Amino acid sequence: MGRGSSLARLAALASAVVLLAGCSSGGGDSPAASGAAGGKVASGTPIKFGVVSPVTGATAVPAFQQGVKAAAAYVNNQLGGVNGHPLEMVYCDDQGQDPSKNAACVQKFVANNVIAILNMGTAFGTASLPIATAAGISTFTQGSDASEVKSKHTIILHVDAESGYAAVFSHLKKQGKTSVGSMVINFPETTALYGGILPSAARKSGVEFVRMVVINPTATDFTPELLKASQGADIVTMSYGPAQMAQTLQNAQAAGVHVQFAVGNAAIDQKNFVQPAGSAAEGVVAYSGVDLYNSSAPQAVTYRDQMEKAGFGAGIGGMSEQGFSFVMTAHTALSDMKQYTPGALRDYFNSHKVPVYLGQVYDASKTPFPDRPAIHVTAARVVQVKNGQFADVGGDWIDTYGGGS
């Protein structure tokens, strides 16, 4: 037999050994297999999460689920899952934050035995939180509803809206802005939430809250509401869909309304907010956890790289970052746990200091608001649209509720 044929047989034998080794790791608690790019592919029994957000409808925010998908792919295909267990996401669209559809989503999650729910949207609190709580399932959420910030079954990893706006108002006060008007979408949960937190944030920051104006979620011209909200105000906050906020900025430009606009982290959206608004978006200020577009911090770089790799580069922004962070922070906690149950996950977050991906440390022992025991993180960064892109202007974390600024 020639040397060439011997080498061919050795190569075939080596390939067979590798193939058999790969096939032997398919058990329920098997270790992760090696990934094609040098990472580890999870192959054990899955750990399920429910994911609910408005992917379609008047207030659609598809970027949240995009961030979840990018993070789950990264965890499962490169990090080896959670000790070899892949994360399995059960997705559900509540179609414009319809409370009945949101509740149906959560019932689906309960039936699927999820370990926790990843929620984006204001419909969750009144419609679905009782369902999840009755099943003993905790929820990673923005805290967009008054009932969420009071529940022991909610895990709010990032700054809440009141603390975020307080940071923005404190930053703008240094520039001479002393009064605030607000435009919010006409959803009962939203108006109730912002009707309480914006006046409180203004008081804490030493500025005056003038009024809150509600808008129709299907409106196309927001000039009347804008003129009312901006009367006697230096700052106007907007809390609704990115496309509608972009239209509001264009209405302001056309009407010659010159106020400082401020938005929450959901509006850090190049594709759906900044770009459609064009030059009218220049100067808009938002609260955030990090400079998502320009930061060289390793986690920010990983987030942007994985979003691009998953095909969601256009969705890089505040909401996809939140979805990505929810998954990655849960991965950190689960990797240190022995049991993967809803109760064990909740107990872990209540008893450990958990580093938040692209955020601060979640420390349940720190409760700055006695009436809102689910809030433990109160510092934010301030970013502003400059040359068509949000960039950090605050320079550091601003925590008015922590005694600093």
Side-chain angles (χ1 to χ4, degrees):
M1 180 178 295
R3 184 171 184 269
S5 60
S6 297
L7 289 175
R9 289 183 62 192
L10 287 172
L13 180 61
S15 297
V17 170
V18 171
L19 179 60
L20 288 171
C23 292
S24 67
S25 62
D29 291 319
S30 60
S34 295
K40 295 180 178 180
V41 178
S43 57
T45 53
I47 301 171
K48 295 183 181 181
F49 283 83
V51 185
V52 58
S53 64
V55 180
T56 60
T59 57
V61 186
F64 179 78
Q65 287 198 13
Q66 291 174 356
V68 172
K69 289 177 181 177
Y74 176 53
V75 168
N76 290 341
N77 300 329
Q78 297 185 51
L79 302 184
V82 176
N83 300 321
H85 297 271
L87 301 181
E88 180 180 324
M89 303 298 166
V90 182
Y91 294 98
C92 197
D93 175 12
D94 66 359
Q95 299 177 6
Q97 304 183 54
D98 182 317
S100 64
K101 289 183 173 62
N102 193 287
C105 287
V106 175
Q107 290 169 341
K108 172 183 174 181
F109 301 153
V110 173
N112 275 272
N113 297 311
V114 302
I115 190 173
I117 297 169
L118 311 181
N119 165 65
M120 181 262 134
T122 57
F124 187 87
T126 55
S128 305
L129 183 59
I131 301 172
T133 298
I137 300 172
S138 294
T139 303
F140 291 76
T141 180
Q142 303 178 81
S144 300
D145 182 271
S147 60
E148 291 181 345
V149 298
K150 296 179 180 180
S151 172
K152 66 179 182 180
H153 281 79
T154 56
I155 299 171
I156 303 172
L157 299 180
H158 294 272
V159 65
D160 67 298
E162 180 175 339
S163 303
Y165 274 117
V168 168
F169 297 158
S170 294
H171 174 78
L172 292 176
K173 184 183 179 184
K174 295 177 182 178
Q175 301 173 18
K177 313 296 183 183
T178 60
S179 54
V180 179
S182 177
M183 299 172 66
V184 302
I185 197 166
N186 192 17
F187 285 167
E189 295 87 356
T190 305
T191 56
L193 177 73
Y194 284 96
I197 66 174
L198 286 175
S200 178
R203 285 194 301 271
K204 184 66 178 181
S205 308
V207 300
E208 178 189 4
F209 185 78
V210 178
R211 70 181 60 81
M212 183 176 77
V213 179
V214 298
I215 66 158
N216 185 330
T218 61
T220 57
D221 183 357
F222 305 96
T223 303
E225 294 84 356
L226 170 66
L227 293 173
K228 185 176 180 181
S230 62
Q231 186 176 358
D234 299 322
I235 308 166
V236 171
T237 69
M238 299 183 291
S239 302
Y240 36 101
Q244 296 128 318
M245 289 190 284
Q247 183 61 51
T248 301
L249 295 179
Q250 292 177 325
N251 293 156
Q253 191 176 61
V257 176
H258 300 289
V259 295
Q260 175 66 65
F261 285 96
V263 294
N265 65 324
I268 304 175
D269 185 334
Q270 296 289 115
K271 180 181 178 182
N272 299 298
F273 176 50
V274 178
Q275 292 174 3
S279 61
E282 287 296 307
V284 172
V285 176
Y287 63 85
S288 178
V290 68
D291 182 351
L292 298 174
Y293 298 97
N294 305 291
S295 175
S296 60
Q299 289 188 346
V301 173
T302 297
Y303 156 69
R304 293 195 298 264
D305 287 349
Q306 294 305 317
M307 285 290 290
E308 293 282 358
K309 184 174 182 179
F312 303 134
I316 291 173
M319 292 319 303
S320 63
E321 177 269 329
Q322 197 159 85
F324 197 92
S325 176
F326 283 2
V327 174
M328 297 305 297
T329 305
H331 174 260
T332 296
L334 289 167
S335 297
D336 192 44
M337 292 167 51
K338 304 301 182 185
Q339 295 182 356
Y340 308 130
T341 66
L345 182 67
R346 184 172 62 253
D347 290 345
Y348 188 91
F349 273 88
N350 284 335
S351 59
H352 291 75
K353 294 180 180 179
V354 184
V356 176
Y357 199 91
L358 289 171
Q360 295 187 295
V361 173
Y362 178 96
D363 183 357
S365 68
K366 295 181 178 179
T367 307
F369 309 121
D371 62 326
R372 288 173 284 161
I375 295 176
H376 310 291
V377 178
T378 57
R381 288 183 180 272
V382 175
V383 294
Q384 186 171 31
V385 178
K386 291 189 173 184
N387 300 316
Q389 189 176 88
F390 277 105
D392 195 327
V393 294
D396 204 348
W397 296 97
I398 299 175
D399 189 358
T400 56
Y401 290 95
S405 62

